[in-house]
Every structure is written in structure tokens, then in C-alpha cells.
Amino acid sequence: MDWKNLPGGGGGIEDRRGGGGVPGGGIAVGGIGGLIIALVAMFFGIDPSAILGGGDGGQTQTQSQSQAQNQAQGTPATDENYQFMDRIMTSTNQVWGGVFQQAGRTYTPARLVLYTRGTQGGCGVANSASGPFYCPLDNKVYIDTSFFSMMERQLGGGGDFAYSYVIAHEVGHHVQNELGIADQVEREQRSARTEAQANQASVRLELQADCFAGVWGNRVKDQARITQADIQEAISTAQAIGDDNLQRQGAGRIVPDSFTHGSSQQRVKWFTTGFQTGDPNKCDTFNQNYSQL
Ligand SMILES: [Zn+2]
């Protein structure tokens, strides 16, 4: 992938790296196991209110300090991480802006908060245990800079297109928010009679966000020179973050009723559907039998 070919400068990035952060309160998350459990609950989630506190994030201290100095001097960040996020955000917002425009609707671009350790957001405290998420209350995606290295170690290997998939998935939640789909799902969840039923609504929402991420990939595949190897990166990630796989790695027991994001196979399927068609209308995960998803 040649992400530097994508447009930049309009990503709406809030650089909060090197800030003091917000100390993680609540339950301490111990190591990888704890992180995995947090991820099962939170991975790519839309509502971080259930964030487990703790998390480390102390490893990036040196980098944070120099960035804090940059910030203090008012120097705009030029590092690769920042540039990357900016281009993916600019590009996803452009693609969706175009889609909305064609449909005669207005699109408000999503913004992205890049932070280390922890930060206060419209949906509460974000920290490294939360994983990337979208907050519908302030229209911002929150990403901890240590997330991508964790992904590389634990979740399917990473790579720039894999990271793009994560960001595009979060922007997919923003699109759902703009379309009123997120509200509908929330209402449905509130009136659900069982937890399993509420979880099913969540799975539909998450798989649609995967599909939307694929749609973005399709629309930029020539410009960003996305190769077969890049596609494989995203697929490996989708596989790694399937609920069945995370549960197998975490508690070791797979409970489909507790899935909130979909199985590995479903996540791959919906990302691929979006990527192959480039058509958001093909991402209707709501008008399908749940067992056929
Ligand atoms: Zn999600």
C-alpha cells in the first residue's frame, strides 16, 4: 500500500500524545490476558463506557516527551504515525463525503484523537485497554498510539492496510451515526428482551462497519496501490479479531450468544463484500436472517 499517495491535511487530527493522560481507574488490567478480555468487550466498539481501567502505555515515554515539546512549541507533528492517520482520515472522510453527496445528504467529517496513555473524551476516559473506538457523542475516533504495535504482536500481524482497516471501521461507525443507524440499534438494544438479542444488534452494526471499511478500500485501491498482500493483511486482522478467535485466546470457551462483533468468518466476509463491491448498499447487515450473516 502506498498511503502517501492519499490526500492529507484534512484529517481533523487532535494530537494529544505526550499529554499527562488520565490515570486509569477501576479494575487493573493485568497483561495480555486482561487486555484480551477488555478487547472482547471493547474491540472496535462504539461505546467505551464499559472501559476497563488500567493499561500500561508507559513504554512510549521518551517519544511522548519529545512530542509534548513539539506541541508546546506549536510545531505541527510530522512523524509517520501522524501523517498516516491524517491521510487515512482525510481519505475516508472524502470517500464518505462523496457517497453522501451523491445521495443528496450532508456528511460531517469524523475527527480523530491520537493519544498516549489515556485521555478524556466525549464518551468518558479512553486508555490503552479500550482499543480504538468511535464516540458518537463527539464524532471522534480515539486511537492510542501503542495500539498498532500491540496489534502487530497479538492480532494478525498488522501492516499499514490492516491499520487502515481499523481506522476505516471506526469511521464506518461514524457513517452509521450520520445515517441514524447507530441510534436505531441503540433503541433496539434498550428494548431487547435478552442479552443475546442485544448482542445480535451489535454484531449487525459491527459487521456493517467492517463492510464500510471495505467500501473505502475499494474506492482508494488504485490511488493507494493496494496489493493482494495488503488485502491479506486486512483479512488476517479481521480473522484475528473475530469474537470466536478472541474468546478462544481469552477464556478458551466460545459463547456465540455473547458475540458483539461477529465471528472471524463473518468479519472477513463483510469486509470482503465491501471491498469487492465498493457499494455501501451491499452492506445491509440488518435486513438479513441473523444466521445468514
Ligand atoms: Zn466497531
Side-chain angles (χ1 to χ4, degrees):
M1 173 187 195
D2 201 348
W3 57 265
K4 287 184 178 167
N5 265 359
L6 293 171
I13 312 285
E14 271 178 47
D15 194 354
R16 298 192 197 161
R17 294 172 297 177
V22 178
I27 313 150
V29 176
I32 293 163
L35 188 54
I36 293 288
I37 292 162
L39 287 174
V40 170
M42 286 304 309
F43 211 91
F44 292 7
I46 189 162
D47 177 8
S49 58
I51 289 170
L52 298 175
D56 52 7
Q59 300 128 331
T60 50
Q61 205 48 38
T62 318
Q63 197 196 5
S64 305
Q65 273 159 1
S66 73
Q67 263 144 9
Q69 278 157 11
N70 276 345
Q71 290 304 95
Q73 289 158 9
T75 317
T78 52
D79 62 284
E80 290 257 313
N81 266 345
Y82 182 97
Q83 294 295 332
F84 176 74
M85 304 277 174
D86 177 48
R87 281 166 201 261
I88 304 302
M89 285 303 289
T90 304
S91 159
T92 45
N93 277 326
Q94 267 185 12
V95 164
W96 289 109
V99 169
F100 274 57
Q101 198 178 21
Q102 269 193 336
R105 301 182 67 133
T106 326
Y107 175 81
T108 310
R111 297 173 61 85
L112 183 141
V113 177
L114 195 56
Y115 69 94
T116 39
R117 298 174 63 94
T119 194
Q120 184 70 47
C123 291
V125 174
N127 64 31
S128 48
S130 31
F133 65 87
Y134 169 72
C135 173
L137 300 176
D138 61 10
N139 295 338
K140 289 173 188 170
V141 174
Y142 288 81
I143 293 189
D144 179 313
T145 47
S146 67
F147 178 74
F148 292 128
S149 46
M150 190 282 286
M151 205 172 135
E152 202 178 322
R153 291 193 307 273
Q154 296 174 29
L155 296 170
D160 46 16
F161 193 59
Y163 305 148
S164 304
Y165 155 55
V166 172
I167 299 167
H169 171 103
E170 298 308 337
V171 174
H173 284 312
H174 174 67
V175 171
Q176 292 171 324
N177 195 32
E178 292 279 290
L179 292 172
I181 297 170
D183 281 345
Q184 265 170 33
V185 167
E186 214 189 304
R187 274 197 297 277
E188 210 175 297
Q189 286 180 320
R190 249 185 265 126
S191 64
R193 271 165 302 156
T194 61
E195 206 180 322
Q197 212 176 10
N199 288 341
Q200 288 190 3
S202 168
V203 167
R204 291 180 189 276
L205 191 74
E206 294 299 334
L207 293 177
Q208 185 175 61
D210 281 339
C211 187
F212 283 170
V215 168
W216 167 76
N218 171 283
R219 305 277 177 121
V220 299
K221 64 179 191 295
D222 295 333
Q223 191 181 16
R225 298 203 187 98
I226 290 163
T227 64
Q228 209 49 49
D230 291 321
I231 298 165
Q232 193 48 52
E233 277 177 17
I235 286 174
S236 299
T237 302
Q239 251 157 7
I241 58 183
D243 284 325
D244 48 346
N245 191 51
L246 289 175
Q247 289 187 352
R248 197 178 297 119
Q249 283 183 32
R253 203 163 53 95
I254 296 165
V255 186
D257 273 354
S258 70
F259 287 3
T260 53
H261 290 68
S263 68
S264 298
Q265 187 250 328
Q266 288 173 321
R267 300 200 72 163
V268 170
K269 174 184 159 186
W270 285 99
F271 171 79
T272 308
T273 299
F275 188 83
Q276 282 174 352
T277 64
D279 180 2
N281 295 316
K282 294 284 190 300
C283 298
D284 190 356
T285 53
F286 290 92
N287 289 308
Q288 295 219 26
N289 238 321
Y290 188 73
S291 58
Q292 308 281 303
L293 280 176

